[in-house]
Amino acid sequence: MKNKRHPGLFAIPYVLWIAFFVILPILLIVWYSFTNTNQHLTLQNYHTFFANGTFLRMSLNSFWYAFLITLATLLISYPAAYFLTKLKKQQFWLLLIILPTWINLLLKAYAFIGILGRQGLVNQFLQLFGLGPVNMLFTNFGFLLVATYIEIPFMILPIYNAIVAIDPALIQASEDLGASKWQTFRFVLWPLSRAGVESGIQAIFIPSLSLFMLTRLIGGNRVITLGTAIEEYFMTTMNWNMGATIGVILIVMMILVMLLTGNKPAHGRRMHHE
Amino acid sequence: MKRLMIAVGAILLACLTLWGASLKLTESSVASGGKRLIIYNWGDYIDPALIKKFEKKTGYQVIYQTFDSNEAMYTKINQGGTAYDLTIPSDYMVTKMRRGKLLRPLALQRIPNRKYLGHDFLHKSFDVKNAYSLPYFWGTLGIVYNDRLVKPGSIKTWDDLWQRRFRHNILLVDSARDMIGMSLASMHYSMNTTNALQLHLAKAKLDQLGPNIKAIISDELKMYMIQNEAAVGVTWSGEAAEMLSNNRHLHYVLPKPYSNLWFDNFVIPKTAKNLAGAYAFINFMLNPKNAAQNAAYVGYASPVQAAWQHLPQAVRRDRSFYPTQKMVKKLMVFKDLPPKMVQKYNDLFLEFKMYAR
C-alpha cells in the first residue's frame, strides 16, 4: 500500500478548491470591509454599522424573521418527519417532499404571487363564501408563509434521517417501562433526533438571515433584511466596502448560530475527559 | 498511486482545456475585427427586427448583450476585458463614465442623421455639447392609475398620492433617486438637491406616505398594475406604455408641479474596436423611419422629432407620453451626484423602506 505513505496527496484537489473558492473569497470580503473606497485601511465601515440605528434594527429584523421562519418550519416538519417514519412507502412520500426543491426558487415565488394575489386562487376560494378579497401579498404573513413553504424540505430530511436511525426497541422499552407518550418523546425521541433538528435549523436559519429576493417579490420590500442592504451597497451605490462589512457581520452572526446550535455531543465528551 | 496520478492529471487537463477554451472565446469576442459590432443595451430595449435589418443592410454581424442597471454596466466596462462598441447609459451615468474616462468623444460629422433629433433633447446638462452622447430614448417619471379604482382626472399632482383614499393601494418603484426625487418635487425642491435639510424633509414627507404604500418593487410593478392589484403605481413612462397596452383601464399622468426627465443615450466606450460599425448603427437608429419603428415597439418616447409623424396619431397626441414643449421645459434632468450624495439618497431611502408602515 504505497498510498499510505502519501495520504495527503488525495487531499490536494480539495485543498486547492477550498483555498480558491472558500478561503480566498472570505479573505477578500474581510479585506474590503477594512478599507474605504480609496483602498486605505480603516475601521470606518464598522463604526458606521454600529453607530447607525438603521443597521442594528435591520440586523434585529433579519434575526427575528429568520427565527420565525425556522420556528414555523420546525413546528411543521418535526411531526411530519415523525409520521413519515411510520408510513409504508416512505421512499415515495419522501420523493414527494423533495420534489418541490427541483423547481427554481424564482418560479415558486412567482407561483405564489398568482396564488396570493387579489384575484389569486385563495381569494377566489374565499369569494365563494362571500368573503371579500383579503390582502396577503406584501404582508409579513405572506412572506413567512412562502419562506416556510420553501424551507420545509430542508428541515424534514435531516429530522427524518435522525428518527429513522433510532432503534424502535428503545421506544418500545420506554413504553414498556411505563413512560407516558410525552415522557417517551421528551426523554427518548427528542434527545436522539436532536442532531437532525440541529442540522435542519442550521440549514434554514443561516440562509434565512440574508434572504433578499423573497423580501422584495413577496414582501414588497416591506420586510427589510441585511440581504437587502448588501444588494443595495453592491448594485446601486457601488460602495463594495460597506457591503462587504455587512457581509462580514453576517458571517460572524452565522458562526454564532453554528456555535449555539451544534456540537453538543462534543461538549459532553470533553466533560468526561476533564 | 498510479490511479491517483491519472486522476490529478485528468483534473489538470480539464482545467487546461477549459482555460484554453475560455481564452479562445474572449479572444474571439475581443478581436471583433471589422465585421462584428458588439452592442451593450438594456434588456428588451430595441426592436429585434431592426437589428436584422441593420445586419442585412450593412453586412455587420451584431452581437447584442444586455444589462439591467446603469451601475452593472458601469462596473463591467470599468473592469475591462470587454469590447463593447456601443452602449446606452442614462443621463447621469454619461457624466460618470465621462469623468471616469471610459468614453470616446463622438465624431458628430460621421452621424449625419443627428439632424433629425429634436432641439429640446440636445445640449442637456449631462453633456452640454453632445460631445460624447446622443439621445436614444427619453421619458418621464409619473403616475399610473386604474380607472376602476380611481376617478379619472382626480390625480393631477404628486401631493394627491398622500390622500387617505389611497390607503395601502400604491405601488412604488424601487429606486432611491426617483422616489426621494418625487418627494422633493412635490415640495418644489430641486430633484438634484444636495441640501441636507431638504433631503431630510423629503424623507420625512415620504415617511408620511407609508400607510398608502402597498409595496416597493421593481420590474414586477408592471405585472401587478396589469392584474389590477393596486389602484396607483409610480413608474417610468415607457413601463407605463407597456402596462396601458395590456390593460385598457390604466392611464398615465405626468404630475405637477414637475417631474424627472431622463435620457438614455448612445455612447461609444473607450473599449470599442469597431468604430465605423458603431457610427453606422447610431446613424441607422436615428433614421426617422427606424426610430419610429423602434419607439412603437419599445414604448418610450423617441428624441428623433422627424420620426413622430410616422407614429400613430393617438400616440403622438398623448400629452402624457409626448408632453408639450412647455411641459418639457419644466421637467428636471438628474445630475450625476458625488458618490457621498448618492449614498445619502440611498441611505435615506433604505431607512424609509425599513420604517414604512
Side-chain angles (χ1 to χ4, degrees), chain A residues 17-85:
Chain A
W17 180 272
I18 289 172
F20 280 113
F21 298 110
V22 180
I23 311 277
L24 206 67
I26 290 180
L27 285 180
L28 259 177
I29 292 179
V30 173
W31 168 253
Y32 263 112
S33 77
F34 281 108
T35 52
N36 61 16
T37 34
N38 302 322
Q39 327 247 295
H40 293 301
L41 274 177
T42 173
L43 282 171
Q44 186 59 40
N45 297 327
Y46 287 92
H47 181 253
T48 313
F49 188 96
F50 288 108
N52 186 330
T54 316
F55 283 121
L56 292 179
R57 170 95 187 250
M58 218 183 292
S59 315
L60 274 180
N61 251 353
S62 303
F63 242 100
W64 176 239
Y65 281 108
F67 170 75
L68 287 180
I69 294 168
T70 315
L71 185 70
T73 353
L74 181 62
L75 288 180
I76 295 170
S77 303
Y78 198 94
Y82 178 76
F83 289 120
L84 208 60
T85 58

Side-chain angles (χ1 to χ4, degrees), chain B residues 146-172:
Chain B
N146 191 320
D147 66 16
R148 293 203 283 191
L149 302 161
V150 181
K151 208 174 114 216
S154 66
I155 299 181
K156 288 202 177 77
T157 68
W158 288 121
D159 277 334
D160 291 335
L161 294 180
W162 271 261
Q163 292 169 4
R164 287 200 59 157
R165 61 186 169 124
F166 294 129
R167 218 179 152 74
H168 208 69
N169 226 342
I170 297 180
L171 298 177
L172 295 183

Side-chain angles (χ1 to χ4, degrees), chain B residues 158-217:
Chain B
W158 288 121
D159 277 334
D160 291 335
L161 294 180
W162 271 261
Q163 292 169 4
R164 287 200 59 157
R165 61 186 169 124
F166 294 129
R167 218 179 152 74
H168 208 69
N169 226 342
I170 297 180
L171 298 177
L172 295 183
V173 72
D174 189 12
S175 158
R177 201 67 202 275
D178 288 286
M179 291 303 102
I180 302 265
M182 166 183 89
S183 188
L184 285 165
S186 77
M187 295 191 284
H188 297 262
Y189 293 142
S190 161
M191 295 174 99
N192 290 310
T193 193
T194 53
N195 179 320
L197 179 66
Q198 289 182 358
L199 278 172
H200 278 280
L201 287 173
K203 195 246 165 195
K205 185 164 181 187
L206 213 50
D207 284 338
Q208 288 177 356
L209 189 61
N212 282 2
I213 296 169
K214 188 173 176 125
I216 304 161
I217 44 186

Side-chain angles (χ1 to χ4, degrees), chain A residues 81-127:
Chain A
Y82 178 76
F83 289 120
L84 208 60
T85 58
K86 304 276 170 240
L87 291 174
K88 272 203 178 123
K89 293 179 181 165
Q90 293 180 19
Q91 291 309 315
F92 171 73
W93 293 109
L94 262 186
L95 185 75
L96 281 190
I97 287 169
I98 299 170
L99 214 80
T101 63
W102 297 357
I103 299 164
N104 183 290
L105 179 64
L106 203 62
L107 286 180
K108 283 188 277 192
Y110 269 89
F112 266 104
I113 291 173
I115 293 170
L116 299 178
R118 189 166 277 274
Q119 285 158 13
L121 281 175
V122 175
N123 273 324
Q124 280 178 10
F125 181 72
L126 286 178
Q127 267 157 17

